[in-house]
């Protein structure tokens, strides 16, 4: 992962909850914790870490327990609340008292729960194509939540590269060739299917996201400023209406990127990095929380 886009990052290990945890860190300044989604790893943030470092932040991308090169955590479970507790303990182990948290997909739900459960630790929250802001999910996720049926259907080694890419991106970025081998590797680790299915079933059923994990209205009382970013063409977690999020969270900032899929941070990194660093560079949470109203913005098309 030491490439031209992550040349400042160092890959490290630390023990948390009795397991080895792999993470990458880049830059100096306020800490920004990056949380990937299901069937992925810290490679998700390949295009963003050095941009954050260049903007004056310490970017920390972590392989969540059971994913990437971190240890399996069956003894802990894979519920969002368990993952939030892990992040709180992980940052404490690194000596970080306060941080901003950015999460994609299921990692967005984890980021939101972390901010709700540990408000004293979280400066700002950025949710990227996040679960937890409505019950709607793609049918493949709902179907594999069914015991036995999920084991029969979810076979990462049998999913074609083309099918995987189509679900994640609207228009695959040129950089994809560099990271595709790593994306495939972490999806096909021996324990990966079991961890993926356990994670899905902790929060999903045939009706979509379990009601208790729909945190949209809980976020209304969140003291930390919140940014929500979607790709307009997301096939995994269909974007909820920006107006609905703004209505529920009037102090939030919402951005919708056209011609963009489930990983806007990789598909349109320059645009996404600008949005994120601008958000993180705003005044302190207390000052930001006192702003009147919010903003719903649709970004212009990128070429």
């Amino acid at each position: 992962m030491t490439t031209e886009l992550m040349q400042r990052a160092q890959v490290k290990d630390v023990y948390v909850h009795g397991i080895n945890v792999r993470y990458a860190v880049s830059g100096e300044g306020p800490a920004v914790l990056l949380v990937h989604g299901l069937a992925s790893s810290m490679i998700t943030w390949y295009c963003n870490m050095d941009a954050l470092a260049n903007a004056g932040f310490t970017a920390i991308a972590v392989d969540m327990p059971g994913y990437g090169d971190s240890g399996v955590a069956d003894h802990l479970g894979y519920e969002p609340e368990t993952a939030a507790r892990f992040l709180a303990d992980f940052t404490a182990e690194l000596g970080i008292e306060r941080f901003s948290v950015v999460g994609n997909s299921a990692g967005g739900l984890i980021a939101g729960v972390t901010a709700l459960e540990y408000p004293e630790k979280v400066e700002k929250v950025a949710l990227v194509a996040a679960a937890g802001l409505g019950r709607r999910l793609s049918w493949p996720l709902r179907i594999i939540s069914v015991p036995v049926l999920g084991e029969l259907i979810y076979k990462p080694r049998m999913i074609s590269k083309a099918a995987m890419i189509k679900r994640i991106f609207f228009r695959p970025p040129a950089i994809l060739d560099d990271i595709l081998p790593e994306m495939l590797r972490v999806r096909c680790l021996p324990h990966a299917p079991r961890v993926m299915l356990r994670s899905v079933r902790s929060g999903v059923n045939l009706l979509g996201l379990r009601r208790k994990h729909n945190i949209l209205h809980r976020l209304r009382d969140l003291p930390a400023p919140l940014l929500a970013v979607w790709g307009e063409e997301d096939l995994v977690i269909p974007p909820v209406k920006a107006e609905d999020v703004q209505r529920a969270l009037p102090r939030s900032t919402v951005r919708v990127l056209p011609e963009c899929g489930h990983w806007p941070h990789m598909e349109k990194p320059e645009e996404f990095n600008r949005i994120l660093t601008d958000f993180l560079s705003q005044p302190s949470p207390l000052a930001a929380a006192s702003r009147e109203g919010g903003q719903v913005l649709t970004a212009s098309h990128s070429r």
Side-chain angles (χ1 to χ4, degrees):
M1 295 181 66
T2 305
T3 70
E4 65 214 22
L5 287 178
M6 293 185 69
Q7 59 186 352
R8 297 181 62 182
Q10 294 180 302
V11 177
K12 300 183 177 183
D13 297 275
V14 65
Y15 275 87
V16 183
H17 292 179
I19 64 170
N20 183 70
V21 176
R22 179 69 53 86
Y23 68 100
V25 59
S26 180
E28 296 180 357
V32 181
L33 187 60
L34 305 169
V35 187
H36 62 78
L38 298 174
S40 188
S41 70
M42 60 184 174
I43 194 66
T44 300
W45 307 104
Y46 180 93
C47 298
N48 317 114
M49 290 197 64
D50 279 358
L52 285 166
N54 292 336
F57 298 96
T58 299
I60 304 167
V62 59
D63 281 348
M64 294 296 287
Y67 291 91
D69 292 310
S70 287
V72 178
D74 288 345
H75 63 294
L76 301 175
Y78 297 97
E79 294 77 13
E81 293 76 16
T82 301
R85 185 169 67 252
F86 162 79
L87 290 179
D89 293 341
F90 167 71
T91 51
E93 188 67 28
L94 298 185
I96 299 171
E97 294 183 358
R98 291 186 65 81
F99 56 88
S100 293
V101 59
V102 183
N104 169 236
S105 195
L109 172 57
I110 293 169
V113 173
T114 301
L116 289 167
E117 296 293 326
Y118 304 95
E120 73 283 1
K121 291 181 173 290
V122 176
E123 294 276 1
K124 296 184 179 184
V125 185
L127 308 180
V128 186
L133 303 182
R135 299 197 66 194
R136 291 176 60 201
L137 294 172
S138 65
W139 272 106
L141 278 177
R142 301 187 198 190
I143 291 171
I144 66 173
S145 72
V146 179
V148 181
L149 184 59
E151 279 77 6
L152 292 173
I153 293 175
Y154 184 67
K155 305 286 186 182
R157 294 184 183 277
M158 298 178 64
I159 300 174
S160 70
K161 296 179 184 179
M164 182 182 72
I165 292 169
K166 184 177 181 180
R167 288 190 61 75
I168 296 175
F169 302 106
F170 175 74
R171 185 175 291 115
I175 201 66
L176 185 60
D177 288 343
D178 291 345
I179 66 164
L180 191 56
E182 176 65 9
M183 290 171 60
L184 294 172
R185 182 187 73 86
V186 299
R187 284 171 176 257
C188 295
L189 291 169
H191 60 270
R194 173 170 53 83
V195 171
M196 166 69 171
L197 291 174
R198 286 195 60 179
S199 299
V200 168
R201 289 165 183 166
S202 72
V204 178
N205 58 29
L206 273 177
L207 298 179
L209 187 75
R210 295 183 186 274
R211 289 188 183 278
K212 67 178 182 179
H213 295 315
N214 186 355
I215 62 172
L216 179 59
H217 291 287
R218 289 181 60 197
L219 291 170
R220 181 180 298 164
D221 298 324
L222 186 70
L226 184 143
L227 168 70
V229 180
W230 279 281
E232 195 171 48
E233 307 295 335
D234 192 335
L235 298 178
V236 179
I237 302 179
V240 297
K241 292 181 179 179
E243 292 81 3
D244 291 345
V245 176
Q246 193 64 77
R247 189 177 301 112
L249 309 174
R251 291 186 286 106
S252 66
T253 299
V254 179
R255 301 296 299 264
V256 180
L257 305 189
E259 298 184 359
C260 187
H262 190 53
W263 283 10
H265 49 301
M266 186 176 290
E267 187 166 350
K268 294 192 172 182
E270 292 184 2
E271 196 168 0
F272 175 84
N273 290 336
R274 183 173 62 253
I275 292 169
L276 180 60
T277 55
D278 285 351
F279 169 72
L280 295 173
S281 298
Q282 291 297 316
S284 67
L286 188 59
S290 66
R291 290 181 303 173
E292 293 185 4
Q295 47 185 321
V296 176
L297 305 172
T298 299
S300 60
H301 288 251
S302 295
R303 299 294 183 187

